[in-house]
Amino acid sequence: MIRLPLLESSAPDRFPDPRSALRDPNGLLAFGGDLSPARLLAAYGQGIFPWYGEGEPILWWSPDPRCVFRTDALRVNRSLRRQLRGKPWRISVDQAFDAVIHACAAPREEGGGTWIVPEMMAAYSALHRLGHAHSVEVWDDARLVGGIYGVAVGRLFCGESMFSAESGGSKLALMALAGLLRQWGWPLIDAQVANAHTLGLGAEEMPREDYLREAARLIILPGRMGSWASHSSPIQPGDRGCA
């Protein structure tokens, strides 16, 4: 029988030590609580994130190892440039956050449900309105063809999900995000749990202890000043922002 700590509703910043998370299932740490902005920001700052399905209690995780992208290692490679050649795509930032999260929550072609349940969409949209959650969008004229969203804490970006409506859409959104963060001195994008897709895009696995140490350093650094949305239309697939 699995015994997990129940989070207290009166203490949104209190979590068990991530190092006490279960090995099987990998990283399961606690349950309960809520998805308030204060609790979500406290969780990400401590290397913890929510992940659960429809009809389940809120589950909190901190897996070992942790999957991350290093922003200085992500660039638009030749194959993606060839794929994008001739496409009139443009990139924006924080112009369609709700549309991106809804697209990420939509059923995938391979079938299966989604872990981005309605209460999660509402919670991250609230974080976005408060200036803590951000999205990068890829457009073909007025059609959204790709995007990624996540949470910024200090100089750590915690990626949540990405989608493609056209081949290359999510990859370009990721590369554009990495390019902006690299310019601002943000070294990591947290990708939580590795899979074949993220590893194929250039992610790597980092021991949880190393990740927690790096996250603790980054979250106390000053983050991005001003509006992320100011980086809208000028960014194009071949620009320095995503090169």
Side-chain angles (χ1 to χ4, degrees), residues 171-232:
K171 188 172 185 179
L172 180 57
L174 173 64
M175 300 302 155
L177 172 63
L180 285 178
L181 298 179
R182 185 167 62 246
Q183 290 176 29
W184 299 341
W186 299 37
L188 290 181
I189 299 172
D190 172 30
Q192 300 177 351
V193 180
N195 57 44
H197 180 63
T198 54
L199 293 175
L201 291 174
E204 63 182 70
E205 291 187 301
M206 175 184 288
R208 180 173 58 209
E209 190 63 37
D210 293 350
Y211 175 81
L212 294 176
R213 183 166 48 251
E214 184 68 357
R217 180 183 72 86
L218 293 173
I219 65 172
I220 62 175
L221 297 177
R224 175 67 181 169
M225 301 299 293
S227 172
W228 284 44
S230 63
H231 292 273
S232 186

Side-chain angles (χ1 to χ4, degrees), residues 80-117:
L80 182 56
R81 287 185 187 278
R82 284 196 299 269
Q83 185 178 358
L84 296 174
R85 191 170 297 148
K87 291 186 176 180
W89 288 4
R90 63 182 177 87
I91 300 164
S92 65
V93 180
D94 278 356
Q95 295 297 294
F97 183 90
D98 288 345
V100 169
I101 195 171
H102 277 82
C104 289
R108 305 299 170 101
E109 289 183 358
E110 60 269 22
T114 177
W115 56 269
I116 309 175
V117 297

Side-chain angles (χ1 to χ4, degrees), residues 7 12-21 27-31 39-51 59-63 66 124 151 153 156 158 160 190 192 208 211-212 215:
L7 299 185
D13 60 337
R14 294 183 184 174
F15 287 86
D17 187 330
R19 299 165 187 82
S20 68
L28 183 56
L29 178 67
F31 75 102
R39 191 182 297 275
L40 284 171
L41 291 174
Y44 285 109
Q46 297 174 57
I48 300 163
F49 59 88
W51 184 24
L59 302 176
W60 301 89
W61 303 76
S62 185
R66 192 68 163 240
Y124 287 97
V151 178
V153 187
L156 175 66
C158 304
E160 277 296 309
D190 172 30
Q192 300 177 351
R208 180 173 58 209
Y211 175 81
L212 294 176

